[in-house]
Amino acid sequence: MTSEIFRSGYVALIGRPNAGKSTLLNRLVGEKIAAVSNKPQTTRHRIQGIVTKETGQIVFVDTPGVHKPGFLLNRRMMAAVHDAILSVDLLVLMRDASVSTGNGDKFVLELVKNSGKQAVLVLNKIDKIKAKSDLLPLIESYSKEFEFAEIVPVSALRGEAVDNLLDQIIKHLPANEAIFAEDELTDQSMRTLVAEMVREKILQTTGDEIPYVTAVVTEKYDESDPTVTRIHCAIYVERSSQKGIIIGKGGIKLKKIGTEARVDIEKMLNQKVFLQLFVKVVENWRNNERNLDEIGIEK
Ligand SMILES: Nc1nc2c(ncn2[C@@H]2O[C@H](COP(=O)(O)OP(=O)(O)OP(=O)(O)O)[C@@H](O)[C@H]2O)c(=O)[nH]1
Ligand SMILES: [Mg+2]
């Protein structure tokens, strides 16, 4: 009978940039609700993703990767991590198991230790590891440092062992009713989801010079025409040279970003979309309180 108890709670996904937190979130929720890219610091704010199973409901809180904050933007990003840690029932510490341990990993582990919360260690990207036994030294060193509730190797990209991970997490949540309706998937507004899809395409389309200096804001979201949703997004950059890079020769790059984002947005809305993108130069937006508020990066 005890196994029939329904459990629910909030679970923070924390880890270094690029560990695969947002990839896992999208995989578990079954919809694309978080931007993913191979550039670090892709996620900038907290994103809730809700997973409901017969045995329980998990409200995942995806967070920005833990890094040293330079700009005000980065300080807000790290505040989002600390807030998430404080507000959840359980932590998931996610680690890219295919790379060696650095100071950043130690710092994240300290956050877990100091939180006083239970934590599950997820070793991600096992598809990149030749022999499973190669994981043993990593498991051993983490077990010595902290008594993790579970240690679960997964591949978020391929969806390997992620169902098992849900069961392992639910076990450690309090007996509780569902927090959200079964069909709810996220707390993100359509405007935010759209802006994030555009930003993701920018990250995927441009090189290393651009990722940190762009932000995207949905300025118009017009559903008055039932046959097509009209969306305008502003892309913020800090210098006109960056504007040039995003637009590309003859506008080719911006066109590619727009087309790819539109395809994703149409899939999400199940509706024809007219997407217009504008590039705006806003000097030093990463250090400007008002700009960050406009962009939706919470304090
Ligand atoms: N091979 C492999 N790649 C993965 C896996 N999970 C994620 N990735 C890749 O790792 C990169 C980073 O993924 P994200 O999900 O954006 O990582 P994140 O932890 O959310 O990163 P931040 O938001 O910057 O903190 C992307 O290129 C993903 O495709 C995995 O299981 N295997
Ligand atoms: Mg992320």
Side-chain angles (χ1 to χ4, degrees):
M1 191 64 202
T2 46
S3 65
E4 302 297 318
I5 290 177
F6 194 86
R7 298 177 180 279
S8 71
Y10 288 83
V11 175
L13 295 171
I14 66 162
R16 294 279 290 148
N18 259 346
K21 301 176 291 297
S22 301
T23 305
L24 182 69
L25 182 78
N26 290 339
R27 166 71 62 183
L28 294 174
V29 169
E31 293 274 342
K32 185 166 183 124
I33 57 168
V36 166
S37 87
N38 61 2
K39 313 275 192 307
Q41 299 175 29
T42 298
T43 303
R44 285 186 174 156
H45 63 274
R46 267 181 294 173
I47 299 172
Q48 283 184 11
I50 303 149
V51 180
T52 309
K53 300 217 344 163
E54 265 176 30
T55 48
Q57 183 178 70
I58 311 172
V59 184
F60 284 101
V61 184
D62 187 15
T63 66
V66 173
H67 64 285
K68 279 208 187 101
F71 296 87
L72 185 60
L73 164 69
N74 305 82
R75 291 212 286 284
R76 287 198 185 186
M77 285 161 71
M78 287 308 97
V81 177
H82 291 289
D83 286 354
I85 291 175
L86 286 177
S87 68
V88 296
D89 301 287
L90 179 79
L91 303 177
V92 165
L93 167 54
M94 192 161 193
R95 168 65 205 271
D96 179 345
S98 70
V99 296
S100 52
T101 307
N103 287 338
D105 295 299
K106 294 192 182 116
F107 186 74
V108 180
L109 190 55
E110 286 304 311
L111 288 180
V112 172
K113 283 193 202 170
N114 296 336
S115 71
K117 305 229 165 159
Q118 271 204 307
V120 169
L121 175 65
V122 170
L123 298 174
N124 189 30
K125 309 200 186 182
I126 54 167
D127 55 288
K128 287 171 95 175
I129 293 172
K130 283 189 205 88
K132 294 273 147 78
S133 57
D134 290 350
L135 286 173
L136 292 178
L138 197 58
I139 292 175
E140 207 174 304
S141 74
Y142 271 88
S143 318
K144 258 190 231 149
E145 294 279 345
F146 186 75
E147 204 174 315
F148 285 97
E150 312 284 341
I151 298 181
V152 191
V154 305
S155 168
L157 190 69
R158 300 215 181 140
E160 269 169 54
V162 296
D163 273 340
N164 169 47
L165 173 62
L166 289 177
D167 294 333
Q168 301 301 320
I169 289 173
I170 289 174
K171 271 201 322 210
H172 297 285
L173 294 180
N176 233 335
E177 287 171 11
I179 302 164
F180 291 97
E182 213 174 292
D183 57 353
E184 266 187 82
L185 298 181
T186 184
D187 64 336
Q188 302 294 292
S189 69
M190 273 309 163
R191 280 173 175 256
T192 307
L193 287 170
V194 162
E196 285 291 278
M197 283 186 191
V198 173
R199 198 168 59 84
E200 181 189 83
K201 300 310 170 203
I202 298 170
L203 294 179
Q204 291 174 354
T205 310
T206 55
D208 287 337
E209 68 282 18
I210 287 299
Y212 308 107
V213 299
T214 53
V216 180
V217 179
T218 305
E219 296 196 333
K220 186 174 126 181
Y221 191 96
D222 177 2
E223 294 173 289
S224 59
D225 182 342
T227 63
V228 60
T229 303
R230 289 173 199 280
I231 302 171
H232 291 187
C233 289
I235 300 171
Y236 287 34
V237 292
E238 294 193 322
R239 277 193 288 278
S240 54
S241 59
Q242 294 156 350
K243 181 173 174 174
I245 292 172
I246 292 210
I247 292 174
K249 262 200 194 109
I252 190 155
K253 207 163 253 182
L254 191 64
K255 193 162 175 222
K256 185 168 159 39
I257 292 166
T259 307
E260 289 181 7
R262 180 180 49 75
V263 169
D264 271 15
I265 297 164
E266 285 182 338
K267 223 184 274 165
M268 175 175 76
L269 298 179
N270 210 0
Q271 156 96 48
K272 205 166 159 349
V273 166
F274 177 73
L275 176 66
Q276 240 181 329
L277 303 178
F278 305 89
V279 186
K280 267 191 192 174
V281 180
V282 183
E283 260 178 55
N284 211 20
W285 65 262
R286 284 180 292 174
N287 266 329
N288 184 304
E289 298 271 4
R290 194 173 50 83
N291 291 148
L292 292 172
D293 291 342
E294 272 167 15
I295 292 161
I297 312 274
E298 286 164 23
K299 271 183 210 153

